[in-house]
Amino acid sequence: MPGPAPRALADLAARGIPFALLARDGRTVEVLTGEVVDVELLADIPLTDAAGTPREVLALVPFRQVRERGFVCHDDGAPLRCLVVDAHDSLPLEDALAQLPSASIPLRDAGFDIDDEDYAQIVRTVIAEEIGRGEGANFVIRRDFTAGVEGDPATVALTWFRALLEHEKGAYWTFAVVTPGHVAVGASPEAHVSARVDREQSGGADAAASAVVTMNPISGTFRHPAGGATAATLTEFLQSTKETEELFMVVDEELKMMSAVCADGGRITGPHLKEMSRLTHTEYVLRGNSRMDPRDILRETMFAPTVTGSPMQNACTVISRHERTPRGYYSGVAALFTPTGDGRTHHLDAPILIRTAYLQDGMLRVPVGATLVRHSDPYGEVGETHGKAAGVLGAIGAIARDTPTAAPADTDPDRPADTRRPLAEDPEIAELLESRNARLAAFWLNPQGGAESGPLHGRTALVVDAEDRFTTMLAHQLRHLGLDVSIAPWTAVTDEDLDAAELVVSGPGPGDPRDPDSPRMRRMREVVRRRLAAHRPLLAVCLSHQILADALGLELAPLDAPHQGLQRTVDVFGRDASIGFYNTFTARVPAGTTRVGVAEIAADTHSGDVYALRGPAFASVQGHLESILSRDGMATLERLVTQALAPTA
């Protein structure tokens, strides 16, 4: 339990020891001091000492840790820095404010490392060459606001932390972490992942502890106009198709992670408003149950799609192609591991490292990014990065000379009064938020229950992952149909695995299915053709649906506009189905075609775009039946799997 506060917070700077200040509940400031240990891997985070005694650890996890999942990045060598806590104290918020310094910290030579026109061109390129070529649904590309700073780094950190406490409301964590050669001060709005152990539900002393895992995808940014946000100004933002679809896409991406770490997949609640002093966001909350080690939970959820993109693996590749410098800690997490009461495991609390100012070698760096989707306007995304940078700089009270981006927090005309009524309580706003859920799949909104009594109980399936972890959600839904499911990456699945499987589900993935040089496309073509040739049950999804169509002799073509995060109601063999689409390419037949060879075809009556195929021992679908956008996903999935498993003559 936190103990009494140190004599004075200013002593932390004077003593030159590593420390962290955390404000998590709006009433107190936690003070952590200890030893700094840098480690290479998440598994190396020292949660116990040499004798096995549990320890509390605050870890700063840099973006480069995505290498642990086999993803690419610009590797700057930023350390996975651990503050191994030897004292965890606390004091009332009012006492902390009375002790913290308040002098303004001037900045010099302030500005973005990439100018507005260059950033706008990057946006155009990503939309055309990445989203437009099927590499993914959305991508976050950052640029950095930089400036010179004079003064003792620890004192600067204390000053900025005080300003955040006074002027930034609604943050999940407000924090300052001061370690040798590095300072991070921020007010993160977003809890990326937490795991709270529920000992009563853990199954007894000899069982692994069960934790309630929570993720909090936030997307959509409304910058408050002069005088503050109102119901009228917020309504236009909430009615934006771009902002709504952007949030749905990141919820889908985080449900992929939840389905990987939680046996019950994850249930979504919301949407809610995240109202801060200068910005308002929309958010959902996802919850499930897991018995995994908290470090493994953290690894499987690296990192939030709200600051990377989707699908996650390819988003990292796209980031490496279009960002000019490494990310450092931006879009990583600050992870606090706290021993449980019985010392058998740890709780995890890990906000995303965004809305954060970094100070190193006398230079301030505020990384900010915009989420690029098919609807993005390049200059609108430029404006979003300005708004996010201004939010951080204004909140820390920084004075940026000769730049319009930032203003001191105590003179910011946009900051609303702290006593105003939350906009989420306005009936019209609440109705607008609630109306979004009418578009979503009930499967992910409601308690899912057990899978033991599913209609396909006793059957088995092998899901082949083509670098899109929609497969984890798909596997979760297949289990609820009763199947015993395993997942294998395309790089590891063998011909023997394919031949032994009762049902093969050939999964989705990014890229052009016609690409002759892609090893991934070649292998996925082999997967589909091998099952077809053997007349063994096959379900093909999205990319694999296109590959199956090609194997059956159908034309493949790019869409005029990408269908990334698009919900459509289509005819699937005589039944209308509301389905979420994430495709840039399509199989296409002449309008009115309903059969080619052994394949029955469900296609658009005008364009000829093929939505589904079925035939002896196979079925396929272009959309993602597992997506939150697929209101009829479970029913359609059961129909197609039953078709694939049906005995053939």
Side-chain angles (χ1 to χ4, degrees):
M1 293 293 292
R7 185 172 66 253
L9 293 180
D11 286 350
L12 296 172
R15 290 159 60 193
I17 61 173
F19 68 87
L21 305 179
L22 311 179
R24 297 190 286 168
D25 63 6
R27 301 183 302 275
T28 59
V29 171
E30 300 166 68
V31 184
L32 286 61
T33 57
E35 174 191 8
V36 169
V37 177
D38 293 342
V39 298
E40 181 61 24
L41 301 173
L42 290 169
D44 300 330
I45 294 174
L47 298 186
T48 59
D49 63 16
T53 303
R55 305 190 292 190
E56 185 170 39
V57 178
L58 174 64
L60 293 181
V61 183
F63 181 71
R64 68 188 289 264
Q65 293 306 128
V66 297
R67 296 172 303 123
E68 290 195 42
R69 293 182 60 188
F71 302 169
V72 301
C73 68
H74 294 301
D75 190 353
D76 56 356
L80 201 177
R81 176 148 291 183
C82 301
L83 178 66
V84 181
V85 179
D86 58 29
H88 186 156
D89 309 309
S90 67
L91 68 164
L93 178 62
E94 295 77 9
D95 292 353
L97 288 170
Q99 295 182 39
L100 291 165
S102 60
S104 296
I105 306 294
L107 308 181
R108 65 176 188 279
D109 303 323
F112 281 104
D113 61 339
I114 300 173
D115 68 33
D116 288 355
E117 284 300 326
D118 282 353
Y119 187 78
Q121 184 55 47
I122 292 172
V123 173
R124 295 185 191 98
T125 301
V126 170
I127 294 170
E129 298 184 5
E130 306 292 0
I131 297 174
R133 295 180 183 175
E135 297 301 326
N138 56 84
F139 302 108
V140 179
I141 304 298
R142 81 174 215 292
R143 59 177 179 161
D144 297 345
F145 187 92
T146 63
V149 179
E150 294 181 2
D152 170 63
T155 302
V156 171
L158 293 174
T159 303
W160 288 347
F161 181 69
R162 176 200 172 100
L164 288 172
L165 291 177
E166 288 186 310
H167 300 294
E168 186 55 271
K169 307 302 179 184
Y172 179 68
W173 269 32
T174 301
F175 60 90
V177 182
V178 178
T179 59
H182 190 266
V183 164
V185 183
S188 176
E190 190 165 351
H192 175 51
V193 64
S194 66
R196 187 77 185 173
V197 175
D198 182 354
R199 180 60 57 190
E200 292 183 358
Q201 301 298 321
S202 66
D206 297 327
S210 175
V212 176
V213 176
T214 303
M215 298 187 75
N216 178 209
I218 295 176
S219 190
T221 300
F222 175 65
R223 186 182 182 188
H224 298 173
T230 65
T233 58
L234 187 61
T235 294
E236 182 179 358
F237 163 75
L238 292 177
Q239 292 175 332
S240 164
T241 298
K242 172 191 179 295
E243 300 293 350
T244 301
E245 291 184 354
E246 186 178 305
L247 180 59
F248 289 162
M249 284 189 279
V250 298
V251 171
D252 259 340
E253 193 68 19
E254 293 205 4
L255 274 173
K256 298 176 188 179
M257 298 176 180
M258 290 290 289
S259 295
V261 302
C262 297
D264 53 352
R267 178 189 177 194
I268 70 175
T269 59
H272 310 288
L273 286 184
K274 172 68 71 173
E275 299 180 63
M276 304 187 71
S277 295
R278 295 158 184 81
L279 305 170
T280 292
H281 307 281
T282 47
E283 64 179 356
Y284 278 92
V285 175
L286 320 180
R287 288 191 177 89
N289 295 279
S290 178
R291 296 184 183 274
M292 293 176 66
D293 182 292
R295 292 167 294 191
D296 294 333
I297 291 173
L298 193 56
R299 181 185 301 105
E300 289 300 314
T301 59
M302 290 193 302
F303 283 115
T306 52
V307 283
T308 53
S310 63
M312 177 67 197
Q313 181 168 353
N314 216 43
C316 290
T317 302
V318 170
I319 288 168
S320 71
R321 283 201 285 259
H322 297 280
E323 290 189 354
R324 301 174 182 177
T325 57
R327 287 193 162 196
Y329 293 95
Y330 170 72
S331 71
V333 297
L336 182 63
F337 298 87
T338 303
T340 57
D342 61 8
R344 290 177 56 210
T345 185
H346 288 70
H347 304 298
L348 169 66
D349 188 9
I352 302 175
L353 287 171
I354 54 174
R355 312 296 161 79
T356 300
Y358 300 96
L359 181 60
Q360 189 169 14
D361 299 327
M363 290 298 298
L364 165 73
R365 187 172 69 94
V366 179
V368 290
T371 301
L372 313 185
V373 297
R374 59 192 175 91
H375 295 300
S376 286
D377 170 69
Y379 293 108
E381 305 299 359
V382 167
E384 181 163 329
T385 61
H386 275 278
K388 289 177 177 176
V392 176
L393 293 162
I396 65 175
I399 301 173
R401 299 191 183 103
D402 303 322
T403 176
T405 297
D410 58 355
T411 62
D412 185 354
D414 295 346
R415 185 168 64 88
D418 297 337
T419 57
R420 68 174 174 81
R421 179 190 183 191
L423 289 170
E425 295 180 5
D426 181 279
E428 292 185 8
I429 296 298
E431 184 178 353
L432 269 176
L433 288 168
E434 179 61 28
S435 68
R436 291 185 172 189
N437 287 348
R439 297 180 57 187
L440 304 185
F443 179 83
W444 299 107
L445 290 166
N446 299 325
Q448 296 163 13
E452 294 79 7
S453 59
L456 297 174
H457 180 70
R459 314 300 291 266
T460 64
L462 170 65
V463 179
V464 182
D465 190 318
E467 297 185 7
D468 187 339
R469 292 218 306 177
F470 260 130
T471 49
T472 63
M473 295 170 66
L474 187 58
H476 180 63
Q477 290 193 322
L478 290 167
R479 292 183 183 110
H480 273 263
L481 292 176
L483 286 93
D484 182 5
V485 184
S486 60
I487 303 176
W490 69 271
T491 53
V493 69
T494 66
D495 289 347
E496 290 76 14
D497 295 331
L498 296 173
D499 294 342
E502 181 177 8
L503 169 70
V504 167
V505 179
S506 190
D512 185 341
R514 306 167 301 176
D515 186 349
D517 300 320
S518 166
R520 178 165 52 87
M521 297 302 172
R522 286 199 298 271
R523 182 53 178 157
M524 296 307 291
R525 283 192 284 268
E526 292 169 358
V527 168
V528 167
R529 290 179 182 274
R530 189 174 187 89
R531 293 295 289 191
L532 277 182
H535 303 289
R536 298 293 308 282
L538 169 71
L539 174 68
V541 178
C542 197
L543 172 71
S544 293
H545 158 85
Q546 297 161 11
I547 289 172
L548 172 64
D550 180 66
L552 294 170
L554 278 62
E555 174 194 2
L556 298 182
L559 294 164
D560 293 336
H563 289 173
Q564 296 291 350
L566 180 67
Q567 185 181 57
R568 301 187 66 185
T569 297
V570 300
D571 184 307
V572 179
F573 303 117
R575 296 187 195 175
D576 284 346
S578 178
I579 296 174
F581 287 82
Y582 284 85
N583 62 304
T584 300
F585 295 87
T586 186
R588 187 169 287 157
V589 295
T593 301
T594 59
R595 180 174 291 276
V596 171
V598 297
E600 187 179 353
I601 296 170
D604 187 276
T605 56
H606 300 292
S607 68
D609 292 351
V610 178
Y611 300 134
L613 298 164
R614 65 182 181 184
F618 70 82
S620 71
V621 63
Q622 177 61 77
H624 285 265
L625 304 180
E626 68 281 6
S627 167
I628 62 167
L629 293 171
S630 293
R631 289 181 297 178
D632 299 308
M634 279 295 285
T636 307
L637 180 63
E638 181 179 348
R639 289 176 61 207
L640 294 180
V641 170
T642 301
Q643 163 68 34
L645 287 169
T648 56

